[in-house]
């Protein structure tokens, strides 16, 4: 059985872009290994379990570049070896990065620059592990099977609520320079609803029952303000999405609607992004609506690292991911540093030990 991942006892390997790596060879190897994946060749769940057959729901290791000899330069001399950093290897033998990707989809090429970027910056081996769905990736993070993963705000909050072991590191830089997005509550202008206390006994239209930005954040935030709508609202009516909830408010079928917005830009146009903007673009009259509650700003989809990763490695990850290389390899607009405070409204919706795994994962570099 051929493994899809390989650990080198020497602690040395050519780094992508270095003189020891033959890119043509590694790409050809990736194609061959991908073909094996799609034909059913199994790999180990963990490197220490490489001889065990992979089950359908097990993660798949993305193709790992084989070690090759130094490339001869034009003068016929062998180029110098580029070892991993021994001091960093002493801190951490490898960094395991989890992503959601169906191995059968054959989309490995999209993730390769991400791995190469991290390995070049950290100078320790970086292993990408693909999981078929978000719940598997969350379990892997919580259980320590992977150290680092790009998530959504809600996926991070759900996992953090289970283990209190994660740290958001970076998030994609918004192309428009905005700080993030807000969960909001809307009411009709002229109605005697100005604050959470006025929502008691009212009909509340929300997004789906497990929607973070159009239900869970509002319920948690408004409860923190002293109004438990799950107990005191006349009704909480779930809709397919926040736009449908807002349309129920416009029609008069609800007194309050939960939605989301950037709260930046021209208010009369519905701001730059969000449910009010969607309403305006569909020709709905938004001048008769008002924002009666808003959460703090919520940053975009975070890249999350386990807190038991050595601080020096975490600092290096931050340096790498906020550098120009990340903009070229992962997200065109680059990344900005974030912290738990940038997700406080979402974290409040997933209190510790809630035992709930929810959230959605976006592609590498995507927004929430």
């Amino acid at each position: 059985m051929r493994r899809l991942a390989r650990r080198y006892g020497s602690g040395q390997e050519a780094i992508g872009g270095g003189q020891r790596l033959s890119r043509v060879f590694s790409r050809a190897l990736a194609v061959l290994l991908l073909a094996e994946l799609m034909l059913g060749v199994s790999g180990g769940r963990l490197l220490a379990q490489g001889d065990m057959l992979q089950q359908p729901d097990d993660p798949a290791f993305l193709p790992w570049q084989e070690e090759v000899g130094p490339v001869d330069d034009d003068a016929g001399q062998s180029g110098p070896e580029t070892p991993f950093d021994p001091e960093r290897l002493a801190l951490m033998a490898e960094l395991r990065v989890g992503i959601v990707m169906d191995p059968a989809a054959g989309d490995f090429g999209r993730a390769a620059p991400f791995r190469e970027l991290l390995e070049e910056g950290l100078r320790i081996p970086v292993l990408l592990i693909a999981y078929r769905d978000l719940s598997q990736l969350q379990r892997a993070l919580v259980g320590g099977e992977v150290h680092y993963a790009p998530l959504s705000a809600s996926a991070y909050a759900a996992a953090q609520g289970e283990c209190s072991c994660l740290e958001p590191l970076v998030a994609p830089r918004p192309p428009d320079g905005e700080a993030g997005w807000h969960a909001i509550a809307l009411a009709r202008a002229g109605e005697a609803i100005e604050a959470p206390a006025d929502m008691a006994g009212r009909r509340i239209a929300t997004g789906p029952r497990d929607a973070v930005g159009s239900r869970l954040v509002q319920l948690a935030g408004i409860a923190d303000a002293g109004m438990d709508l799950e107990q005191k609202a006349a009704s909480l009516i779930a809709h397919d999405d926040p736009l449908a909830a807002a349309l129920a408010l416009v029609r008069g079928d609800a007194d309050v609607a939960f939605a989301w917005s950037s709260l930046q830009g021209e208010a009369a146009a519905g701001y730059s992004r969000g449910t009010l903007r969607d309403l305006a673009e569909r020709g709905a009259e938004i001048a008769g609506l008002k924002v009666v509650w808003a959460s703090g700003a919520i940053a975009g989809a975070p890249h999350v690292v386990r807190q038991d990763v050595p601080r020096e490695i975490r600092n290096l990850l931050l340096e790498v991911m906020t550098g120009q290389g990340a903009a070229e390899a992962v997200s065109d607009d680059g990344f900005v540093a974030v912290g738990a405070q940038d997700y406080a409204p979402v974290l409040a919706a997933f209190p510790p030990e809630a035992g709930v795994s929810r959230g959605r994962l976006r592609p590498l570099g995507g927004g929430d």
Side-chain angles (χ1 to χ4, degrees):
M1 182 196 73
R2 293 187 61 178
R3 290 188 185 180
L4 297 181
R6 179 175 178 183
R7 177 182 294 173
Y8 300 105
S10 66
Q12 295 183 352
E13 180 194 358
I15 297 175
Q19 292 178 315
R20 296 180 60 203
L21 175 64
S22 168
R23 288 192 178 276
V24 173
F25 178 84
S26 64
R27 288 172 181 169
L29 176 65
V31 171
L32 290 173
L33 290 173
L34 175 58
E36 289 181 353
L37 253 180
M38 298 182 71
L39 289 173
V41 176
S42 60
R45 178 175 177 82
L46 292 175
L47 292 176
Q49 300 171 329
D51 294 330
M52 298 175 62
L53 291 177
Q54 181 176 329
Q55 300 301 316
D57 290 335
D58 283 346
F61 294 101
L62 271 65
W64 185 250
Q65 295 162 338
E66 294 283 351
E67 187 171 23
V68 296
V71 179
D72 290 344
D73 59 25
D74 293 338
Q77 301 295 322
S78 294
E81 291 187 356
T82 306
F84 291 121
D85 188 310
E87 293 183 1
R88 294 178 189 172
L89 286 171
L91 290 173
M92 194 168 194
E94 67 184 12
L95 181 76
R96 297 190 299 274
V97 179
I99 58 174
V100 168
M101 179 186 295
D102 183 357
D107 201 13
F108 294 124
R110 177 173 61 89
F114 179 46
R115 190 199 74 81
E116 293 172 4
L117 172 76
L118 293 178
E119 193 164 87
E120 289 179 10
L122 299 179
R123 296 179 66 82
I124 63 174
V126 174
L127 179 64
L128 291 185
I129 306 178
Y131 294 84
R132 296 183 185 276
D133 59 47
L134 178 61
S135 63
Q136 289 188 31
L137 179 56
Q138 286 176 314
R139 287 196 299 271
L141 271 171
V142 170
E145 187 173 315
V146 295
H147 307 111
Y148 180 90
L151 299 177
S152 69
S154 55
Y156 153 61
Q160 178 70 348
E162 293 185 29
C163 72
S164 298
C165 63
L166 305 176
E167 174 185 332
L169 201 66
V170 297
R173 184 188 306 276
D176 50 15
E178 294 174 353
W181 58 278
H182 301 257
I184 62 174
L186 299 170
R188 288 184 296 276
E191 294 282 341
I193 302 175
E194 302 293 341
D198 301 324
M199 299 180 192
R202 301 288 188 162
R203 300 167 298 166
I204 313 294
T206 77
R209 293 182 182 278
D210 62 351
V212 175
S214 58
R215 184 173 173 116
L216 299 182
V217 172
Q218 286 90 338
L219 290 177
I222 292 171
D224 189 59
M227 176 54 59
D228 184 351
L229 291 178
E230 292 185 284
Q231 298 294 326
K232 297 182 179 180
S235 60
L236 284 168
I237 306 170
H239 293 263
D240 290 340
D241 52 49
L243 179 60
L247 287 171
L249 175 65
V250 171
R251 292 192 305 267
D253 296 334
D255 303 307
V256 175
F258 290 169
W260 73 277
S261 175
S262 67
L263 293 183
Q264 295 192 33
E266 187 179 350
Y271 299 104
S272 61
R273 294 179 296 128
T275 310
L276 285 168
R277 182 78 175 194
D278 292 340
L279 284 171
E281 290 178 349
R282 287 162 175 75
E285 179 56 59
I286 63 172
L289 302 178
K290 60 184 178 181
V291 177
V292 295
W293 178 88
S295 73
I298 300 167
H303 284 217
V304 175
V305 64
R306 284 184 56 89
Q307 293 173 351
D308 55 9
V309 169
R311 172 51 65 184
E312 180 178 336
I313 301 298
R314 281 184 276 165
N315 290 342
L316 286 167
L317 277 168
L318 179 62
E319 181 180 333
V320 169
M321 292 304 298
T322 54
Q324 181 59 33
E328 297 172 355
V330 186
S331 174
D332 290 343
D333 296 298
F335 291 82
V336 295
V338 294
Q341 70 278 3
D342 297 301
Y343 301 94
V346 184
L347 288 167
F350 296 88
E353 300 181 1
V356 180
S357 292
R358 287 190 289 246
R360 297 162 298 191
L361 193 76
R362 299 295 186 185
L364 293 177
D368 195 15

